[in-house]
mmCIF file of all heavy atoms in Angstrom:
data_model
loop_
_atom_site.group_PDB
_atom_site.id
_atom_site.type_symbol
_atom_site.label_atom_id
_atom_site.label_comp_id
_atom_site.label_asym_id
_atom_site.label_seq_id
_atom_site.Cartn_x
_atom_site.Cartn_y
_atom_site.Cartn_z
ATOM 1 N N PHE Q 46 -5.285 21.954 -30.046
ATOM 2 C CA PHE Q 46 -5.458 20.606 -30.601
ATOM 3 C C PHE Q 46 -4.809 19.589 -29.673
ATOM 4 O O PHE Q 46 -3.856 19.891 -28.965
ATOM 5 C CB PHE Q 46 -4.907 20.505 -32.023
ATOM 6 C CG PHE Q 46 -3.408 20.313 -32.112
ATOM 7 C CD1 PHE Q 46 -2.879 19.086 -32.485
ATOM 8 C CD2 PHE Q 46 -2.549 21.348 -31.848
ATOM 9 C CE1 PHE Q 46 -1.506 18.908 -32.591
ATOM 10 C CE2 PHE Q 46 -1.174 21.180 -31.948
ATOM 11 C CZ PHE Q 46 -0.655 19.954 -32.317
ATOM 12 N N ILE Q 57 12.179 10.956 -27.590
ATOM 13 C CA ILE Q 57 13.291 11.704 -28.202
ATOM 14 C C ILE Q 57 14.258 12.140 -27.111
ATOM 15 O O ILE Q 57 15.475 12.000 -27.235
ATOM 16 C CB ILE Q 57 12.769 12.931 -28.987
ATOM 17 C CG1 ILE Q 57 11.947 12.477 -30.189
ATOM 18 C CG2 ILE Q 57 13.937 13.814 -29.446
ATOM 19 C CD1 ILE Q 57 11.397 13.622 -31.033
ATOM 20 N N PRO Q 74 36.128 10.525 -19.536
ATOM 21 C CA PRO Q 74 35.717 9.369 -18.728
ATOM 22 C C PRO Q 74 35.454 9.720 -17.269
ATOM 23 O O PRO Q 74 34.674 9.050 -16.596
ATOM 24 C CB PRO Q 74 36.913 8.432 -18.849
ATOM 25 C CG PRO Q 74 37.612 8.844 -20.087
ATOM 26 C CD PRO Q 74 37.394 10.308 -20.233
ATOM 27 N N ILE Q 107 9.358 20.160 -35.628
ATOM 28 C CA ILE Q 107 8.155 19.403 -36.002
ATOM 29 C C ILE Q 107 7.002 20.379 -36.250
ATOM 30 O O ILE Q 107 6.249 20.246 -37.204
ATOM 31 C CB ILE Q 107 7.779 18.387 -34.902
ATOM 32 C CG1 ILE Q 107 8.855 17.301 -34.808
ATOM 33 C CG2 ILE Q 107 6.419 17.752 -35.188
ATOM 34 C CD1 ILE Q 107 8.756 16.454 -33.556
ATOM 35 N N ALA Q 127 -2.941 14.832 -37.959
ATOM 36 C CA ALA Q 127 -1.525 14.891 -38.319
ATOM 37 C C ALA Q 127 -0.655 14.423 -37.160
ATOM 38 O O ALA Q 127 0.363 13.757 -37.362
ATOM 39 C CB ALA Q 127 -1.156 16.315 -38.725
ATOM 40 N N GLN Q 148 16.960 -0.489 -23.626
ATOM 41 C CA GLN Q 148 18.326 -0.146 -23.225
ATOM 42 C C GLN Q 148 18.293 0.547 -21.871
ATOM 43 O O GLN Q 148 17.243 0.974 -21.408
ATOM 44 C CB GLN Q 148 18.965 0.774 -24.275
ATOM 45 C CG GLN Q 148 18.963 0.154 -25.658
ATOM 46 C CD GLN Q 148 19.687 0.998 -26.668
ATOM 47 O OE1 GLN Q 148 20.777 1.484 -26.407
ATOM 48 N NE2 GLN Q 148 19.078 1.166 -27.831
ATOM 49 N N LEU Q 176 12.281 12.613 -8.150
ATOM 50 C CA LEU Q 176 11.150 13.351 -7.606
ATOM 51 C C LEU Q 176 11.543 14.796 -7.283
ATOM 52 O O LEU Q 176 10.843 15.745 -7.645
ATOM 53 C CB LEU Q 176 10.634 12.646 -6.353
ATOM 54 C CG LEU Q 176 9.386 13.260 -5.741
ATOM 55 C CD1 LEU Q 176 8.231 13.179 -6.728
ATOM 56 C CD2 LEU Q 176 9.019 12.568 -4.452
ATOM 57 N N MET Q 229 11.372 20.532 -23.596
ATOM 58 C CA MET Q 229 12.369 20.410 -22.531
ATOM 59 C C MET Q 229 11.816 19.592 -21.361
ATOM 60 O O MET Q 229 12.485 18.697 -20.836
ATOM 61 C CB MET Q 229 12.800 21.795 -22.049
ATOM 62 C CG MET Q 229 13.711 22.507 -23.040
ATOM 63 S SD MET Q 229 14.080 24.206 -22.564
ATOM 64 C CE MET Q 229 15.183 23.933 -21.216
ATOM 65 N N LEU Q 313 -10.260 19.796 -13.192
ATOM 66 C CA LEU Q 313 -10.294 20.427 -11.880
ATOM 67 C C LEU Q 313 -10.092 21.932 -11.969
ATOM 68 O O LEU Q 313 -10.693 22.700 -11.256
ATOM 69 C CB LEU Q 313 -9.216 19.804 -10.990
ATOM 70 C CG LEU Q 313 -9.355 18.303 -10.743
ATOM 71 C CD1 LEU Q 313 -8.183 17.778 -9.934
ATOM 72 C CD2 LEU Q 313 -10.668 18.016 -10.013
#
Side-chain angles (χ1 to χ4, degrees):
Chain Q
F46 81 107
I57 294 180
I107 293 166
Q148 303 185 46
L176 184 62
M229 286 174 73
L313 300 176

